[in-house]
Amino acid sequence: MTPEQAAANAKASVATIVGAFAESPQTLRRARLLGLSGWAYHVSARAGALGDVRPETVAAAIAFIAPEAVTEGWESTAKSSQPSEVATWHLRELCTWGEEQVGAFPRLGRLLELAERVVDGVDPAGLPLFAAWRAMPVPSQEPGARAAVLLHLLHEHRQGVHVIAVRAGGLTPLEAIIAGPEGETGAVALGWQSPYPAAGPLVRRLMWAEAVANSLAGQAFAVLDRTERVELAGLLESLGHRFAR
């Protein structure tokens, strides 16, 4: 298994696990307790790690959510809370969720060891959200909490290199969404307004961008040898199956 293959294999499993946390009742309850809509919470919880920045900066970092939707969510949060505080709360909830949902995973110690080496091996240049989240103090050192945070960082890493690859492929974020599996449905869900570009001419570029993203993400997995990459892929897949619908 090459580093690029390891990154490609990790993508779906990590997304499934992180998605399970994002959609968990306790996470959604936190948004209500803060008096935020789900949309405002999503934007501020993710980008609040950047600190007190303008919504244009947030939109540029997130990339795949429509700028108008980012601005709406960011400014809505700012009326009652600091986005950085929301991100801090989000991290605490992530740790609690990790302790409860990941803490009992067999071979958790090995997952921690391998994932931590990958995360520590990431060069954060051009990855502002990843860099911001990696710099945040983790409020719990329980193994399940640490694992959840590492998985979140792996997901942010993949998201960040995907933005770079999409732009290198000559695609806008909207074009990449339209060319992807969710198409116009995904564009609507992320706040983009019609008219939308035709997907056909964009698919080949997106395929190229995915290959580039695998190559970029794989650079971090190169800290592991082949056997370790296979092992980490298996651990992530096994954990991901626990949260698959």
Side-chain angles (χ1 to χ4, degrees):
M1 179 179 285
T2 67
E4 291 82 2
Q5 290 170 333
N9 285 337
K11 176 185 174 183
S13 297
V14 171
T16 296
I17 300 164
V18 173
F21 164 67
E23 297 173 7
S24 68
Q26 70 187 55
T27 305
L28 300 175
R29 183 171 62 250
R30 172 54 56 191
R32 292 194 296 270
L33 290 174
L34 292 172
L36 301 176
S37 68
W39 188 255
Y41 184 84
H42 174 75
V43 171
S44 55
R46 184 179 176 204
L50 295 171
D52 184 18
V53 298
R54 297 183 61 83
E56 293 85 355
T57 302
V58 177
I62 293 179
F64 291 103
I65 298 177
E68 296 82 2
V70 169
T71 298
E72 178 184 346
W74 192 253
E75 292 182 346
S76 176
T77 298
K79 292 177 182 178
S80 58
S81 307
Q82 290 293 326
S84 59
E85 295 175 354
V86 177
T88 298
W89 276 110
H90 190 69
L91 182 56
R92 291 175 184 168
E93 292 295 326
L94 175 62
C95 287
T96 300
W97 181 87
E99 292 172 18
E100 296 173 351
Q101 302 296 326
V102 184
F105 178 66
R107 300 194 69 208
L108 180 59
R110 186 59 171 164
L111 175 63
L112 281 170
E113 178 186 350
L114 296 175
E116 190 167 40
R117 286 167 60 192
V118 174
V119 167
D120 288 347
V122 173
D123 180 348
L127 304 171
L129 279 171
F130 171 84
W133 275 105
R134 191 168 68 174
M136 288 187 70
V138 179
S140 172
Q141 292 304 308
E142 290 294 321
R146 289 172 52 212
V149 172
L150 287 170
L151 292 166
H152 172 76
L153 288 169
L154 286 174
H155 186 61
E156 280 295 351
H157 177 229
R158 179 69 195 206
Q159 293 284 87
V161 299
H162 185 59
V163 174
I164 294 171
V166 162
R167 301 303 286 132
L171 294 169
T172 66
L174 174 58
E175 288 173 336
I177 295 168
I178 292 297
E182 297 184 1
E184 293 186 3
T185 300
V188 172
L190 293 173
W192 296 93
Q193 302 294 317
S194 60
Y196 302 120
L202 306 174
V203 173
R204 187 179 297 274
R205 289 186 182 183
L206 183 60
M207 293 174 62
W208 182 88
E210 285 289 346
V212 171
N214 287 336
S215 178
L216 292 173
Q219 292 173 5
F221 285 82
V223 301
L224 307 179
D225 63 31
R226 185 187 66 82
T227 301
E228 290 170 332
R229 291 193 291 267
V230 171
E231 183 181 7
L232 178 57
L235 291 170
L236 291 173
E237 184 177 3
S238 178
L239 181 58
H241 281 160
R242 295 188 169 205
F243 301 102
R245 294 178 178 178

